[in-house]
Amino acid sequence: MSSIDWKEGRFQSKGAMRSVKRIGDMAGVFSDATAWQSMDQQMLVYSVEWEQRAEPGLEGGLFWGATIIQPGKVGEEYFMTRGHFHMRRDRGEYYTTVQGIGMLVLRDDRATWTEVMSPGSLHYIPGQTAHRTVNTGESPLIFWACWPSDAGHDYATIEKDFFSIRVVNQDGALGIA
Ligand code: F6R
Ligand code: ZN
């Protein structure tokens, strides 16, 4: 058994994996390359802690983890995750928000759409759907996720503006560009 701090998006027990993305790890992700270059490359953008009791790639297992996206912007664009498809395209996922406010951006082969994330919001990400999360607030956006152990992550396909929309702050207002 493990134990978690639900609201803080942290594992209290040992054994969780952790990954951290700083500004310097996110070349090409944000649209304003000049603004990105001028920022402190060590600035934290998001971190993920997750538990994988099953072997990655094993069919039938589940992973469980939390993402914390810091508040901030690169130029006009809010801090966000890189985003991905699952390598096994038919694998779905659940997200549920515990703190903060944000946007889940989804894209399948027909359309791009968004869902507002706020404490208590539950999001089902169907298979065949690329997903990215954006912190549109002024405090950390924290959400838990549960996904299949054989889902895998495909980051290459979503490079080069795959989502087709960007979540921005223009003149103080939240907008989609
Ligand atoms: C797992 C999943 C999340 C993300 C996390 C970071 O399938 O969707 O745990 O991995 O929010 O986002 P990426 O992986 O896009 O950097
Ligand atoms: Zn995923």
Side-chain angles (χ1 to χ4, degrees):
M1 198 184 89
S2 307
S3 91
I4 59 167
D5 185 328
W6 173 250
K7 289 282 285 295
E8 295 302 320
R10 302 296 305 259
F11 283 82
Q12 285 171 336
S13 46
K14 289 195 176 117
M17 320 276 291
R18 181 169 163 85
S19 114
V20 166
K21 289 280 176 287
R22 300 182 186 280
I23 281 290
D25 301 318
M26 300 189 74
V29 175
F30 296 94
S31 69
D32 188 339
T34 313
W36 172 79
Q37 227 156 15
S38 70
M39 292 175 73
D40 173 2
Q41 299 293 298
Q42 289 304 312
M43 187 183 280
L44 178 63
V45 181
Y46 65 98
S47 58
V48 188
E49 269 189 23
W50 75 101
E51 184 175 88
Q52 44 186 57
R53 295 288 186 97
E55 270 303 301
L58 179 88
E59 189 174 331
L62 293 169
F63 293 163
W64 171 262
T67 302
I68 304 176
I69 310 179
Q70 299 303 315
K73 293 193 290 293
V74 177
E76 294 184 332
E77 195 171 10
Y78 289 106
F79 279 7
M80 61 185 178
T81 58
R82 275 199 292 170
H84 58 268
F85 270 110
H86 290 153
M87 198 66 89
R88 293 194 66 165
R89 288 286 195 274
D90 61 351
R91 298 316 197 231
E93 182 163 7
Y94 271 110
Y95 283 179
T96 187
T97 317
V98 290
Q99 282 204 61
I101 182 99
M103 196 90 91
L104 170 61
V105 181
L106 300 148
R107 178 162 188 190
D108 64 12
D109 60 355
R110 282 175 296 191
T112 299
W113 69 102
T114 59
E115 294 181 5
V116 174
M117 301 176 78
S118 65
S121 67
L122 178 66
H123 308 269
Y124 178 61
I125 301 162
Q128 320 290 347
T129 308
H131 42 291
R132 158 180 283 168
T133 44
V134 186
N135 184 350
T136 59
E138 287 169 7
S139 61
L141 173 67
I142 307 179
F143 63 93
W144 288 96
C146 185
W147 67 101
S149 47
D150 63 351
H153 295 101
D154 169 9
Y155 295 99
T157 305
I158 61 91
E159 281 174 4
K160 305 199 196 318
D161 261 342
F162 180 84
F163 286 95
S164 75
I165 62 163
R166 290 183 176 274
V167 185
V168 295
N169 182 300
Q170 280 166 338
D171 303 323
L174 174 66
I176 303 280

